[in-house]
Amino acid sequence: MVALAGMTLAANAQQALGPGTGLVSPEINPDHSVTFRYVNPKAKTVQVTGDFLPTRPVEVDLGDRKMVYDAPGVADLKEGRDGVWTYTSAPLKGELYSYSFLVDGKKAMDPSNIYQNRDVATWTNIFTLSAEPGDLGWYYQVNDVRHGTLSHVWYDSPTLSSYRRLTIYLPPGYEDSIDRYPVLYLLHGSGGDEDAWSDLGRTAQIMDNLIAEGYAKPMIVVMPNGVWFNQAAPGAAVNMFQPTMANSRSQSTKEIEDSFTDVMNFVEKHYHVAKGSGNTAVAGLSMGGRQSGMLSLRHPRKFGYVGLFSGVPAVEGNEDALAELFAAKPKLYWIACGKADGVMANSRKLKDYCDAMGYPAELYESAGGHIWRNWRLYLTIFAQRIFQESAVHVTPTVLPDDAE
Amino acid sequence: MVALAGMTLAANAQQALGPGTGLVSPEINPDHSVTFRYVNPKAKTVQVTGDFLPTRPVEVDLGDRKMVYDAPGVADLKEGRDGVWTYTSAPLKGELYSYSFLVDGKKAMDPSNIYQNRDVATWTNIFTLSAEPGDLGWYYQVNDVRHGTLSHVWYDSPTLSSYRRLTIYLPPGYEDSIDRYPVLYLLHGSGGDEDAWSDLGRTAQIMDNLIAEGYAKPMIVVMPNGVWFNQAAPGAAVNMFQPTMANSRSQSTKEIEDSFTDVMNFVEKHYHVAKGSGNTAVAGLSMGGRQSGMLSLRHPRKFGYVGLFSGVPAVEGNEDALAELFAAKPKLYWIACGKADGVMANSRKLKDYCDAMGYPAELYESAGGHIWRNWRLYLTIFAQRIFQESAVHVTPTVLPDDAE
């Protein structure tokens, strides 16, 4: 096997034979600090950047509005024997973390860690850390519980004149049951696709774990592609396109709103779905939050539960629709946003308007900005609030407050 | 958007905002040569290594046997203005290709290309190239045809006392039909998992495209996890384990054979499956080829079609079982192997034995070694040969013969 390991760095995908770095990285230590290792005798500097380090908010001008992003921290690795660079973090709380190395300032993946995630057009390494049983990080990892089915399915959208792809989560036991299940429609953000919530948002893990503990009702989660001119995610779509972030064309909500009945018709035809607003929820992040808000206004009696994560529809021009929606008495209208997020201003504006009009909207404020850590958290909370009346068992008390 | 792009290199997964390299790489040129670009003003050398370059066979001693791998070629990029390094390949034939950069000898991903594949523990960039409509590369890419469903499902294995994960392909129209479909059980190699055939083997694309052209019958393809002590692939399993290549424990076929009825029972219970040997096939690559061969011997009347891709069971000790299998008159017993593959000796030995005994086995010999290019090719041919009697329309005539 020594000969095999030696081939690895030069091997291509067809001859991949193991990590072969001889290093463990990242290594989670007993005190929940994490050690990163990287071998490169020629490098002048090796750094690690990731969301386990304290962040700093950076404001970005998007033209029509400003948005605040949390810029990741950077830490220096120190060179030891044989060109092995090392850095050990402070003890970390339970979460899913992402990181990359910077070798002489250039991004490099950790060759000792096969775990990676793509967000829009950027790959990073990831690791999960569960500080103690039952904490928030526990819900993001795969545990020894029953698992649901995750399917990539194509549906016909007559409105958009194309077949389109969606990802659907079916809870454990679905295939062996004739029960009808409630449905959460869960929409991604700008630059994302139908794989974003399952890959970055850990939907299947969060749902498996909440259901296993009895904190969420078994439900179907439907994650369609929310960019109206893309049929599917990169790799599932014709042509090898490179995804990009926000632009006004992809951020348009109208086409997705117009065609959303195609999604719902497909789901209600092909799965055993419990109907009625008490069994139907819509939620989304950023662009998907705006879309969710607009869909709830278009179909005021369809969705009994509405989740607007770091993205809200405008109040202006929607006053009548909001009146109609709240006249239908939705069971939950839940706005969530990070305190450092540029979307907070509009989130508060919507909440203030609802308060002034006597509409029972909730505003949940978390630390941090426009980041996946918040969206996983919001899903974890929202999933406990829908299709049932019960306490929220899993709360974000373990989250660091560094970005407050 | 300029400000956003400038943040990209330092951004972590939660703030990923686009590729931001300003480069197109790889770029497929009109003559089907491919240009690779990489920016790094500080690098002394930048190279590209991948399977689009001529390979050379390298023999590896595995102790009990020797195996030949095709080592990838390496080409130098040249530095131009602003630290942009460039290399243009010779014109390429239609295929799925993989590559990595070597920057001062260290592996680096192409930051301009989000498309990546993991094989065991090695990530590489990939691209597909379709030289002309209908060629082999066309079958590996996503085309504008109807697409099947790809599901990740957990089943109960009483034999192994655990829930385990499998990937299942359902052909286009399955959900809207009450037809019963034939089933191909498709097994991965050592170090692989239940995602290997769909990710690296392009199962969904090959089946979608063959079915769309009428060259394969609509069928269900079941891709279980063939490592008996792993419940699931990395990312779906408890703990963040790093997969490794062959070892005698993982290569054991007995536990998978013992527990395979659990897989078949699950599939036959939960999907509308056409039964009988004329509707049931088993095939696999390398370790999965050996497993497929052993399963066909254990269940001589179960599988009417058997595909042994770069992996075969031993003749010795299986003479009686082979006699029983061929007494049941399988419709196809198809051995496939690369001429440069160390498994060829055993493949020929099995074929010679079958010839001597009058058993109608076929041996298909391709160029090259123990590589995914061959396994995609074998699946493409095998899928046309099963559940029907018709000509094979898609053949490997476009493959380069460089490794012959």
Side-chain angles (χ1 to χ4, degrees):
Chain A
M1 290 309 293
V2 172
L4 289 175
M7 289 175 61
T8 305
L9 277 180
N12 69 15
Q14 297 185 336
Q15 289 78 38
L17 300 168
T21 64
L23 296 177
V24 177
S25 178
E27 181 174 13
I28 296 169
N29 303 309
D31 67 348
H32 302 136
S33 65
V34 176
T35 299
F36 300 86
R37 297 185 178 92
Y38 184 78
V39 60
N40 190 334
K42 293 179 184 169
K44 294 198 178 74
T45 65
V46 179
Q47 297 165 300
V48 60
T49 178
D51 56 3
F52 64 92
L53 294 163
T55 59
R56 61 191 171 90
V58 169
E59 192 177 75
V60 180
D61 193 341
L62 292 173
D64 58 333
R65 66 208 153 86
K66 290 180 178 178
M67 189 173 277
V68 175
Y69 291 89
D70 288 350
V74 176
D76 294 323
L77 281 73
K78 282 189 182 161
E79 189 172 12
R81 293 199 310 176
D82 302 327
V84 176
W85 299 72
T86 305
Y87 171 78
T88 297
S89 76
L92 299 179
K93 293 177 177 176
E95 246 297 348
L96 168 73
Y97 293 100
S98 63
Y99 70 98
S100 296
F101 289 132
L102 296 169
V103 179
D104 295 336
K106 291 286 285 184
K107 177 181 169 178
M109 305 302 289
D110 184 348
S112 305
N113 181 7
I114 63 157
Y115 290 84
Q116 305 185 8
N117 250 345
R118 178 180 60 81
D119 190 9
V120 190
T122 302
W123 284 90
T124 56
N125 284 109
I126 60 168
F127 64 96
T128 54
L129 187 149
S130 178
E132 44 191 80
D135 78 6
L136 196 60
W138 187 86
Y139 290 88
Y140 302 161
Q141 69 185 20
V142 178
N143 295 306
D144 188 18
V145 300
R146 293 292 306 276
H147 304 299
T149 294
L150 198 69
S151 291
H152 307 284
V153 185
W154 289 79
Y155 67 97
D156 185 15
S157 177
T159 309
L160 294 174
S161 300
S162 72
Y163 288 92
R164 295 171 58 82
R165 191 169 180 257
L166 59 78
T167 302
I168 187 165
Y169 169 85
L170 304 172
Y174 173 91
E175 287 89 349
D176 290 310
S177 171
I178 55 165
D179 290 349
R180 294 188 165 273
Y181 289 81
V183 180
L184 164 61
Y185 294 93
L186 188 59
L187 311 184
H188 63 77
S190 180
D193 53 61
E194 73 276 16
D195 292 335
W197 265 112
S198 55
D199 286 354
L200 297 151
R202 310 292 283 181
T203 304
Q205 288 75 38
I206 291 170
M207 296 312 306
D208 282 351
N209 292 322
L210 287 176
I211 291 168
E213 303 242 305
Y215 295 164
K217 282 196 77 166
M219 67 183 79
I220 298 169
V221 184
V222 179
M223 295 159 275
N225 189 308
V227 179
W228 64 272
F229 52 83
N230 278 350
Q231 281 186 289
V238 176
N239 300 325
M240 301 191 81
F241 71 94
Q242 303 290 321
T244 54
M245 262 298 277
N247 62 59
S248 56
R249 184 164 173 251
S250 69
Q251 292 241 345
S252 172
T253 59
K254 182 180 180 303
E255 294 82 358
I256 289 299
E257 292 168 46
D258 288 347
S259 60
F260 207 76
T261 49
D262 298 336
V263 176
M264 296 190 288
N265 288 342
F266 172 84
V267 170
E268 291 172 5
K269 181 181 173 191
H270 289 88
Y271 299 90
H272 26 114
V273 164
K275 295 193 182 174
S277 66
N279 294 304
T280 314
V282 65
L285 74 90
S286 195
M287 175 185 82
R290 292 209 319 280
Q291 290 172 339
S292 297
M294 294 306 288
L295 285 166
S296 72
L297 299 180
R298 276 209 185 201
H299 307 279
R301 293 171 193 285
K302 179 77 187 177
F303 305 105
Y305 304 88
V306 181
L308 312 179
F309 307 166
S310 311
V312 291
V315 171
E316 293 78 9
N318 288 316
E319 294 88 347
D320 292 350
L322 281 163
E324 194 181 351
L325 171 66
F326 281 97
K329 298 193 184 303
K331 293 172 189 294
L332 180 65
Y333 191 86
W334 197 72
I335 307 163
C337 199
K339 291 176 184 172
D341 191 333
V343 178
M344 183 55 99
N346 282 338
S347 300
R348 286 208 179 106
K349 188 172 172 184
L350 176 59
K351 164 67 172 159
D352 290 344
Y353 179 79
C354 288
D355 287 350
M357 298 300 291
Y359 303 152
E362 295 184 23
L363 174 60
Y364 177 83
E365 300 188 20
S366 65
H370 207 74
I371 56 178
W372 271 104
R373 188 180 78 186
N374 272 335
W375 302 324
R376 287 187 292 266
L377 168 65
Y378 302 158
L379 174 61
T380 306
I381 297 173
F382 188 71
Q384 299 174 76
R385 296 285 306 274
I386 58 178
F387 313 136
Q388 62 182 358
E389 306 248 351
S390 73
V392 172
H393 296 267
V394 183
T395 58
T397 52
V398 299
L399 273 186
D401 291 334
D402 51 77
E404 298 247 6
Chain B
M1 289 307 293
V2 172
L4 289 174
M7 289 174 62
T8 305
L9 277 181
N12 69 15
Q14 297 184 336
Q15 289 78 36
L17 300 169
T21 63
L23 296 177
V24 177
S25 178
E27 181 174 13
I28 296 169
N29 303 309
D31 68 348
H32 302 136
S33 65
V34 176
T35 299
F36 301 86
R37 297 184 179 90
Y38 184 79
V39 61
N40 189 333
K42 293 178 184 168
K44 295 198 179 75
T45 65
V46 178
Q47 297 165 300
V48 60
T49 179
D51 56 2
F52 65 91
L53 294 163
T55 59
R56 60 191 171 91
V58 169
E59 191 176 76
V60 180
D61 193 340
L62 292 173
D64 58 334
R65 67 208 152 88
K66 290 180 178 178
M67 189 174 275
V68 176
Y69 290 88
D70 288 350
V74 175
D76 294 323
L77 281 72
K78 281 189 183 162
E79 189 171 12
R81 292 199 311 177
D82 302 327
V84 176
W85 299 72
T86 305
Y87 171 77
T88 297
S89 75
L92 300 178
K93 293 176 175 178
E95 247 297 346
L96 168 73
Y97 293 100
S98 63
Y99 71 98
S100 295
F101 290 132
L102 296 170
V103 179
D104 295 336
K106 292 285 286 184
K107 178 181 169 177
M109 304 304 288
D110 184 347
S112 305
N113 180 8
I114 63 155
Y115 290 84
Q116 304 186 7
N117 248 345
R118 178 180 60 82
D119 189 8
V120 189
T122 302
W123 284 89
T124 56
N125 285 109
I126 60 169
F127 64 95
T128 54
L129 187 148
S130 178
E132 45 192 80
D135 78 7
L136 196 59
W138 187 86
Y139 291 88
Y140 303 160
Q141 70 185 19
V142 179
N143 295 306
D144 188 17
V145 300
R146 293 293 306 275
H147 303 298
T149 294
L150 198 68
S151 291
H152 306 285
V153 186
W154 290 79
Y155 68 97
D156 185 15
S157 177
T159 310
L160 294 174
S161 300
S162 73
Y163 288 92
R164 294 170 59 81
R165 191 170 181 256
L166 59 77
T167 302
I168 188 164
Y169 168 86
L170 304 172
Y174 173 91
E175 287 89 350
D176 289 312
S177 170
I178 56 165
D179 290 348
R180 295 189 164 271
Y181 289 82
V183 180
L184 164 60
Y185 294 93
L186 188 59
L187 311 183
H188 63 76
S190 181
D193 53 59
E194 73 276 16
D195 292 334
W197 265 112
S198 56
D199 286 355
L200 298 150
R202 311 292 282 180
T203 305
Q205 287 75 38
I206 290 170
M207 296 312 307
D208 282 351
N209 292 321
L210 287 176
I211 291 168
E213 302 243 304
Y215 295 164
K217 284 196 75 165
M219 67 182 79
I220 298 169
V221 184
V222 178
M223 295 159 275
N225 188 307
V227 179
W228 64 271
F229 52 82
N230 278 351
Q231 282 186 288
V238 176
N239 300 324
M240 302 191 82
F241 71 93
Q242 302 291 319
T244 55
M245 261 297 277
N247 63 59
S248 56
R249 184 165 173 251
S250 69
Q251 291 241 343
S252 173
T253 58
K254 182 179 179 304
E255 294 83 356
I256 290 299
E257 292 167 47
D258 288 347
S259 60
F260 207 77
T261 48
D262 298 337
V263 175
M264 296 190 290
N265 288 342
F266 172 83
V267 170
E268 290 172 6
K269 180 181 173 190
H270 289 88
Y271 299 89
H272 26 114
V273 165
K275 295 194 182 173
S277 65
N279 294 304
T280 314
V282 65
L285 74 90
S286 195
M287 176 185 82
R290 291 209 319 279
Q291 290 172 339
S292 297
M294 294 304 289
L295 286 166
S296 72
L297 299 180
R298 276 210 186 200
H299 307 279
R301 293 172 193 286
K302 180 75 186 177
F303 304 105
Y305 304 87
V306 181
L308 311 178
F309 307 165
S310 312
V312 291
V315 171
E316 294 79 10
N318 288 317
E319 294 87 349
D320 292 351
L322 281 163
E324 193 182 351
L325 171 65
F326 280 98
K329 298 193 185 303
K331 293 172 190 295
L332 179 65
Y333 191 86
W334 196 73
I335 307 163
C337 198
K339 291 176 184 172
D341 191 333
V343 178
M344 182 55 98
N346 282 338
S347 299
R348 285 207 178 108
K349 189 173 171 182
L350 176 59
K351 165 66 172 161
D352 290 344
Y353 179 78
C354 289
D355 287 350
M357 298 300 291
Y359 304 154
E362 295 184 25
L363 174 59
Y364 177 84
E365 300 188 21
S366 65
H370 207 74
I371 56 178
W372 272 104
R373 188 181 77 186
N374 273 335
W375 302 325
R376 288 188 291 266
L377 168 65
Y378 302 158
L379 175 61
T380 306
I381 296 173
F382 188 72
Q384 299 174 76
R385 295 286 305 276
I386 59 180
F387 312 136
Q388 63 181 358
E389 306 247 351
S390 73
V392 172
H393 297 266
V394 183
T395 58
T397 52
V398 298
L399 273 186
D401 292 333
D402 52 77
E404 300 245 5

